Amino acid sequence: MSNPLPATLIASLEGLPGFDRAPFEQVHAAAEKITSLRLNPLKVSGKAVQESILSALSADGATQVPWSTTGFYLPRRPSFTLDPYFHAGAYYVQEASSMFLEHAVRATTDLDQPLKVLDLCAAPGGKSTLLQSLLNEQSLLVANEVIKPRASLLADNLSKWGAANVVVSNNDPRDFSRLPGYFDLVVIDAPCSGSGLFRRDPELIPEWSPENVQLCSQRQQRILADVLPALKEDGILIYSTCSFSKEEDEIILDWLADHFELENIPLNIPEEWQIVTTVTDKRNCAGYRFYPNRLKGEGFFISCFRKKEMAHAAKRKETKSAVVNAKEKELLASWIQLPDGYGYLPHQDEMLILSPLLTTEIAFLQQQLYIRKAGVKAGQVGKKELIPDHQLSMSPLVAERVPVVDVELKAALQYLRKEDPGIDTPVRGWALMRYGQMALGWAKILPNRMNNYYPKELRILKDISGL
Ligand code: SAM
């Protein structure tokens, strides 16, 4: 291994629950690369589609991640860039230990309720896409990221995921104090010193230092203190890191129990998953440690709390949203299958599609947060036609009557490179380009060519001439 683990890190882990130095060092030296992904239930419904996606990625067979209903390991890493299903948002490539968030949410939260959920440190969107898949349509997810370019990446990944019940915001944690007692569930996947990822990304090792662990620990406390007022009474807080350091894990749990009215929630975990339970020295809080030498995943830590403190919701000013006129509605109806309770929101010269709870919450959220994306963008409504947005193509809301053009692998990749694949089709005008029943984006088919509307910034750059 090019970068050995820092001796100070190893020394600091001695004596921690589940830490076993020799196998821990061996598994890092072996540097095995584990590939896992989580399917998107909005797009992958039914065993047959699931099979065709997984078998195209791996002929040797994918195996289930034990703590995830939609997570799978692949025996080796394929080229995701050359898989049209990846660009269609059929799955998210996610590290397996992180998928345990599903188990924590199911154990602590009533997912049949309409919930308001905040993923505070959300980019690039692994936990947000997972949360969205767990929530019902009546629920709302605010996925927030403080760093601007990372918030754009988060918005792109959530656009690809296709759901209309998500808002992406670009705010500092302290801005959430404007939403007192608002959320039923707050997930904080905190920025950390990252030692849990050293097997996968050994280039991070030289950046590690005990001083940085301390800085991360202080920042984690600030983030938690800033956001806790936004959690409802009886609301759930889920805290996670990808650090092995006690200062960012157990010590944070004790700090939370010391400073806030929070009740720690222990989880039931099957023993065969090899996840190590840790109980904090001071306040007996349970947390869960993931070691790469014990299970098939990277280093991870997670713990859950329930808020016992009273929280008063903010007074809300009534605001009126812009209305959609009958002509616009008629135009939109030819493109969109709007489910019951969903609504349209004109925004600048574009039209958004919002889920039921988002239609009632959007005006309030817009007053409090810097919103980067809300619901699904339908497109630009002109006098005669809608210029459909890529977001609409990625959602399950496209009306059945919209023409589709189904293409094979090579033509799909040419389309994703923003080329004209030269397809022979009787379709004329706007069409949804599809590969294996999965939408890739829009095209306008003319008698002798195709105008490719795939977003330029998303196009594949990789050479495909050898295919
Ligand atoms: N939850 C993400 C996922 O599953 O894809 C990964 C989140 S990563 C561990 C932590 C995130 O916190 C990063 O996107 C980082 O930009 C953000 N961050 C950095 N400093 C922060 C701060 N002071 N407050 C809030 N978030 C911060």
Side-chain angles (χ1 to χ4, degrees), residues 92 121-127 145-147 150 173 189-191 219 223:
Y92 189 98
C121 310
K127 309 284 183 310
E145 168 59 42
V146 65
I147 298 173
R150 289 180 62 79
D189 187 33
R219 181 168 56 184
I223 292 173

Side-chain angles (χ1 to χ4, degrees), residues 175-358:
D175 299 340
F176 286 86
S177 64
R178 300 175 202 146
L179 297 161
Y182 187 79
F183 292 103
D184 300 277
L185 168 65
V186 172
V187 174
I188 298 180
D189 187 33
C192 69
S193 61
S195 46
L197 301 180
F198 285 173
R199 171 177 59 168
R200 192 186 73 182
D201 304 319
E203 67 283 359
L204 299 175
I205 297 176
E207 288 164 35
W208 188 90
S209 70
E211 294 74 29
N212 190 38
V213 169
Q214 284 305 333
L215 285 175
C216 288
S217 177
Q218 286 159 12
R219 181 168 56 184
Q220 286 146 2
Q221 291 173 17
R222 265 201 319 275
I223 292 173
L224 285 159
D226 281 343
V227 80
L228 269 167
L231 187 60
K232 262 185 199 155
E233 181 181 359
D234 286 331
I236 301 296
L237 170 73
I238 300 183
Y239 173 78
S240 63
T241 73
C242 53
S243 164
F244 294 114
S245 293
K246 193 175 177 178
E247 292 81 351
E248 300 176 77
D249 298 342
E250 285 86 346
I251 291 181
I252 295 288
L253 307 192
D254 271 342
W255 177 85
L256 277 169
D258 273 347
H259 289 81
F260 303 91
E261 293 287 319
L262 290 167
E263 172 190 81
N264 178 252
I265 311 174
L267 303 176
N268 280 326
I269 300 181
E271 221 179 286
E272 62 271 23
W273 291 358
Q274 292 294 309
I275 296 164
V276 174
T277 302
T278 171
V279 177
T280 63
D281 302 336
K282 253 179 97 183
R283 302 293 303 255
N284 283 323
C285 297
Y288 302 93
R289 290 184 156 266
F290 294 63
Y291 291 100
N293 52 300
R294 291 180 180 271
L295 47 76
K296 206 169 165 189
E298 305 308 317
F300 186 59
F301 175 85
I302 192 164
S303 181
C304 308
F305 290 88
R306 180 175 289 111
K307 182 170 173 175
K308 300 315 293 174
E309 212 171 315
M310 284 276 284
H312 297 286
K315 282 219 174 74
R316 294 164 64 149
K317 275 192 274 168
E318 283 306 314
T319 43
K320 285 220 164 70
S321 299
V323 282
V324 183
N325 65 41
K327 223 173 137 201
E328 286 172 330
K329 273 194 189 146
E330 198 188 312
L331 180 61
L332 291 163
S334 60
W335 286 88
I336 295 155
Q337 196 81 48
L338 199 67
D340 282 349
Y342 281 59
Y344 291 118
L345 178 73
H347 178 68
Q348 291 155 0
D349 60 344
E350 284 169 324
M351 193 63 75
L352 305 180
I353 308 167
L354 304 180
S355 68
L357 188 54
L358 198 44

Side-chain angles (χ1 to χ4, degrees), residues 90-159:
Y91 56 83
Y92 189 98
V93 180
Q94 185 178 34
E95 191 286 298
S97 300
S98 298
M99 298 182 195
F100 182 81
L101 177 62
E102 172 177 349
H103 187 77
V105 171
R106 287 190 191 279
T108 54
T109 310
D110 182 358
L111 288 165
D112 293 330
Q113 294 300 313
L115 301 171
K116 294 190 191 117
V117 178
L118 170 63
D119 184 7
L120 183 69
C121 310
K127 309 284 183 310
S128 293
T129 52
L130 186 155
L131 288 164
Q132 194 288 321
S133 299
L134 295 177
L135 298 179
N136 60 47
E137 273 188 295
Q138 308 301 321
S139 296
L140 160 64
L141 171 66
V142 177
N144 178 73
E145 168 59 42
V146 65
I147 298 173
K148 207 171 174 182
R150 289 180 62 79
S152 297
L153 175 63
L154 175 65
D156 283 349
N157 282 333
L158 284 165
S159 294

